[in-house]
Amino acid sequence: MISKLWPPETPPRPGEASTLTAALSQPQPDTTVCTVTGKINADTTPVLRDALAQARRDDNVNLVIDLSTLTSMDAVGLYALFEALRRHNLGGGHLAVVVDSNSQSLHELHIVALEAAFDLHPDLARALHACARSRTSCGPAA
């Protein structure tokens, strides 16, 4: 199991207005999970982009972006997620997003946009199950 914290060796400073961390882990074969905590905005989006780029370099077919601990996200963050989807689709594999559709921390329009474009799940276990199913359904026939 891999586990990395993004940005590396840069913990948030107390009282900092905009903080974001993205932890990468590999809880099952061929799947990287990027757990995003904090606020995604113009100041913190580079952290998210760097973590998602690192996740692609891990050579795992599937990617789960876990937004369940997100405190807020603006349109710049939404754009970064669409960018990740486009790049992931170019390489193949399954991309799932964990988000609470009743979350008060995400704007309702952002949730609607995520629902329209991503494979959304209410928790990490279901997202991982969807990735495992996609791996077996896309694999060679026995």
Side-chain angles (χ1 to χ4, degrees), residues 7-132:
E9 301 175 16
T10 310
R13 292 183 288 272
E16 200 172 69
S18 295
T19 60
L20 181 80
T21 58
L24 299 178
S25 61
Q26 186 181 358
Q28 67 189 26
D30 298 326
T31 303
T32 297
V33 175
C34 179
T35 304
V36 183
T37 305
K39 300 176 181 183
I40 303 176
N41 58 34
D43 294 333
T44 62
T45 299
V47 172
L48 177 62
R49 285 188 176 119
D50 289 347
L52 294 174
Q54 178 60 43
R56 282 191 305 280
R57 286 191 290 273
D58 286 342
D59 290 332
N60 287 316
V61 175
N62 303 309
L63 174 63
V64 175
I65 303 172
D66 185 352
L67 303 177
S68 62
T69 58
L70 202 64
T71 56
S72 69
M73 178 175 70
D74 65 10
V76 174
L78 187 61
Y79 180 77
L81 293 174
F82 279 107
E83 225 176 40
L85 177 63
R86 182 185 61 80
R87 288 189 176 137
H88 193 78
N89 284 343
L90 291 174
H94 190 81
L95 191 148
V97 175
V98 177
V99 67
D100 177 6
S101 60
N102 297 317
S103 173
Q104 298 299 311
S105 61
L106 296 178
H107 192 280
E108 186 176 341
L109 289 175
H110 292 167
I111 292 173
V112 169
L114 290 171
E115 287 174 343
F118 291 89
D119 178 24
L120 289 190
H121 298 276
D123 57 56
L124 182 58
R126 292 181 195 182
L128 290 172
H129 184 70
C131 288

